[in-house]
Amino acid sequence: MTEPELAGQVALVTGASYGLGRAITEELLKRGAKVMLTDISDRVEATTAELAATGHAVAHTRLDVTDRASVDAAVRETVSRFGRLDIFVNNAGWSKVMKPILELTAEDWDAYMDINIRGNLFCIQSAAEAMIAQGHGGRIIAIASTAACKPYKRAAAYCTSKSAIPMLTKAAALELGEFGITVNCVAPGPTTTETNLAHSSGAIDPKIGEEKRRREALIPLGKNDPVDIATAVAYFASPAARRVTGQMIVVEGGGLLLS
């Protein structure tokens, strides 16, 4: 019987409590990896318990991607618990405040840049240091967005922060390739996650909800399910992607084909 493609591999996933993070975790587990679930939310404990109850090799720890010491501590905990770190998926992100550009505050802007950009930098740095010390390479995967490809109204801070991720990915891939570390990112379009559904329903802002529902109804293949993003992440983590680095996979059902 053939071993699962990620057997013996250890992954750390940020923002793993629910939504994309949970789906990514479940996909990596299905493919044989052991996973450290991390999150700033206490929900990570219950999620980990549910997955452990099904027989998966999982653990959890708190992680705040805006705090380099917190990221380092989570990486150390992963290596201590499972003996190594092969795959780091930085899924944690911020998208819950959408305002016209003239209404953005410095605090709004800083929250996006701290979580979506600085957090990615800290995760790359910490993961790469651990992987270099181990001496057998590794995979670092970030989550961008179709907002890295086109602008959306009332989302200037979100679009700006997400558009920085593909370039940070390329720069890191260029520098870390000599250590056998690949760095890639996945750019989801609208996906049926808790946060996306809150935006689409109008629970966060009724006007934005109406605009999103109208736009999403036109997507040729329809909205993503979380597993669609998870399988793209798993590709970058798989043996099939061993020579793929500095790349972005866009998963969005054809929505970008529309004007």
Side-chain angles (χ1 to χ4, degrees), residues 191-204 212 216 223:
T191 306
T192 55
T193 62
E194 185 176 307
T195 300
N196 176 271
L197 292 173
H199 280 298
S200 297
S201 70
I204 293 177
K212 278 183 66 63
E216 291 169 358
K223 290 174 70 167

Side-chain angles (χ1 to χ4, degrees), residues 102-136:
L102 295 179
E103 296 177 13
L104 280 173
T105 66
E107 290 75 20
D108 296 330
W109 185 265
D110 288 347
Y112 274 103
M113 303 308 145
D114 285 352
I115 297 170
N116 293 349
I117 302 177
R118 191 170 73 165
N120 263 290
L121 172 63
F122 289 166
C123 288
I124 290 169
Q125 290 175 323
S126 189
E129 287 177 359
M131 291 170 181
I132 291 168
Q134 291 170 166
H136 49 68

Side-chain angles (χ1 to χ4, degrees), residues 39-50:
D39 209 311
I40 198 170
S41 167
D42 291 338
R43 290 173 66 175
V44 70
E45 184 173 353
T47 301
T48 305
E50 290 174 15

